[in-house]
Amino acid sequence: QVQLVESGGGSVQAGGSLSLSCAASGITFSGYHMAWFRQSPGKEREGVAVIGTGGTTAYADSVKGRFTISKDYAKNTLYLQIASLKPEDTAMYYCAAGSFLLAPWNRGLAPGQYNYWGQGTQVTVSS
């Protein structure tokens, strides 16, 4: 049984930082691309960062330079370091695992490609 469990969300002021974690069980990072998505009320789920099985990363333009995705094979844990937080970063953040072709024309930021999802962790940024 696959489980993805996010943690690390919270309430911070603009300009602050957070570190999100996603503990994975039932899958291995060598077999699945991993990603972070976010969704705020009334908006579609948005892919913010992807890390492929080979370690290639991709980011949404809105978070480039502020978000960093990484993974620890030994701990089977995915991370998202978030810096310079903005109020518009407020959302529920989800980790996801998917098995699909990652290529220059497919950076892996579309949610429909992912097979497994966590329950999410809330990030709230105040101005």
Side-chain angles (χ1 to χ4, degrees), residues 27-43:
I27 60 168
T28 61
F29 290 159
S30 59
Y32 287 84
H33 307 307
M34 302 297 297
W36 287 96
F37 288 79
R38 68 184 180 187
Q39 188 169 22
S40 50
K43 293 189 176 182

Side-chain angles (χ1 to χ4, degrees), residues 46-71:
E46 172 193 23
V48 295
V50 178
I51 186 163
T53 54
T56 303
T57 59
Y59 298 91
D61 290 342
S62 58
V63 307
K64 272 182 186 175
R66 300 190 298 121
F67 288 24
T68 303
I69 189 170
S70 62
K71 57 186 177 180

Side-chain angles (χ1 to χ4, degrees), residues 47-93:
V48 295
V50 178
I51 186 163
T53 54
T56 303
T57 59
Y59 298 91
D61 290 342
S62 58
V63 307
K64 272 182 186 175
R66 300 190 298 121
F67 288 24
T68 303
I69 189 170
S70 62
K71 57 186 177 180
D72 185 321
Y73 283 93
K75 296 180 180 179
N76 224 35
T77 300
L78 179 73
Y79 301 99
L80 186 68
Q81 305 287 337
I82 309 175
S84 304
L85 277 158
K86 304 176 181 181
E88 51 264 42
D89 293 321
T90 294
M92 185 72 79
Y93 283 72

